[in-house]
Amino acid sequence: MGKPPQCYKVLVVGSKNVGKYSLCQQFVKGWIAEKPGDDGPMKKTVQINNTKVELEVIIHDVEGEEEIGKCDGVLLVYSIIDAASLTFVKTIAFQKLHAALGSRSSADSGNDKTEDGETTKLRQADEGSSKGVEMPTLHPEQVGLSVPVVLVGTKEDEAKLSRQVELADAETLSQELSCVGFFETAAPCNSNVAKAFECVAEDIVNKRANTVTHETKSGCCVVL
């Protein structure tokens, strides 16, 4: 028997009624159930760079008291036909993720005890986010989360008649949040659904491979 695929957890985050469940169902099952049910963990095995990995997708609206668990990647989801859902993503959702998961710069630097001016700004931003204050503009390395993020717009199939979020605005937000990818999707017709999940998976796999290579060069080989 071959080695089982490495499992990675992907958090699917967005406000209510943006289509998170449909997005995940289409990716995992290839069809969408009419009503959400207790189907257990949603998992799917995909091939990334000649490597099979298992993705477990976990839906979270970050509006309740449920704690954001550890994850390897995030899909930030908004609806193209609901401008408020994009505002939710770039304020409340991203703030809570930033506070729970940390920033890219803090992950890269490790647990340094010294605190320079830039680190102080980041800490203050984290403190502000816990109070519900909109995050200040920071360097992309500080704004970016410690895990890869893909921005996903849903309901592309309804955009022609009801679009409220322009493509350029979402692309700009994707850059501001240091996302590794951005896709407009339509779950019912399976447009760009797999691409969005595979994009975050590819970045996860690449980062893990780079970590192993770096640690091997340092004289310590870690098998993940």
Side-chain angles (χ1 to χ4, degrees):
M1 292 181 62
K3 184 179 179 181
Q6 179 69 46
C7 182
Y8 298 115
K9 293 185 178 181
V10 176
L11 205 62
V12 180
V13 176
S15 57
K16 294 179 179 178
N17 302 318
V18 295
K20 299 187 298 295
Y21 179 79
S22 296
L23 191 75
C24 294
Q25 285 277 297
Q26 182 61 262
F27 171 65
V28 174
K29 294 185 175 182
W31 57 276
I32 304 170
E34 291 185 4
K35 294 182 179 180
D38 186 12
D39 303 324
M42 289 187 285
K43 297 181 179 181
K44 183 174 182 177
T45 300
V46 297
Q47 186 157 318
I48 304 294
N49 299 337
N50 298 319
T51 301
K52 287 187 177 181
V53 298
E54 183 180 66
L55 299 183
E56 179 180 355
V57 296
I58 304 167
I59 299 173
H60 203 304
D61 60 26
V62 304
E63 292 180 300
E65 296 300 322
E66 182 183 356
E67 183 179 354
I68 297 174
K70 292 182 179 179
C71 65
D72 301 291
V74 174
L75 259 62
L76 274 177
V77 182
Y78 71 94
S79 169
I80 293 170
I81 63 173
D82 181 6
S85 67
L86 185 69
T87 301
F88 177 87
V89 157
K90 67 182 180 181
T91 55
I92 297 174
F94 196 80
Q95 288 171 6
K96 290 189 176 182
L97 288 167
H98 197 276
L101 301 174
S103 70
R104 184 189 308 170
S105 61
S106 61
D108 290 344
S109 62
N111 298 320
D112 294 336
K113 293 183 179 180
T114 58
E115 184 176 90
D116 55 20
E118 293 299 316
T119 306
T120 300
K121 290 180 184 178
L122 177 61
R123 176 178 53 79
Q124 291 171 344
D126 284 342
E127 291 172 353
S129 67
S130 65
K131 299 175 183 177
V133 180
E134 186 168 353
M135 287 180 62
T137 300
L138 298 174
H139 187 280
E141 285 295 317
Q142 292 177 289
V143 174
L145 294 181
S146 59
V147 299
V149 179
V150 170
L151 182 64
V152 177
T154 60
K155 306 186 181 182
E156 182 189 29
D157 50 325
E158 302 178 42
K160 184 174 290 188
L161 297 177
S162 306
R163 179 182 288 273
Q164 293 187 12
V165 179
E166 295 301 324
L167 179 64
D169 293 335
E171 288 177 335
T172 297
L173 178 62
S174 174
Q175 294 172 4
E176 290 176 350
L177 300 183
S178 297
C179 296
V180 299
F182 162 63
F183 299 89
E184 288 192 339
T185 67
C189 51
N190 199 17
S191 173
N192 287 336
V193 174
K195 288 182 179 180
F197 283 95
E198 289 170 1
C199 179
V200 73
E202 183 175 6
D203 201 83
I204 293 169
V205 171
N206 289 340
K207 286 185 183 301
R208 294 300 176 96
N210 290 338
T211 299
V212 171
T213 300
H214 174 75
E215 291 177 346
T216 301
K217 289 182 178 179
S218 301
C220 178
C221 179
V222 177
V223 179
L224 299 177

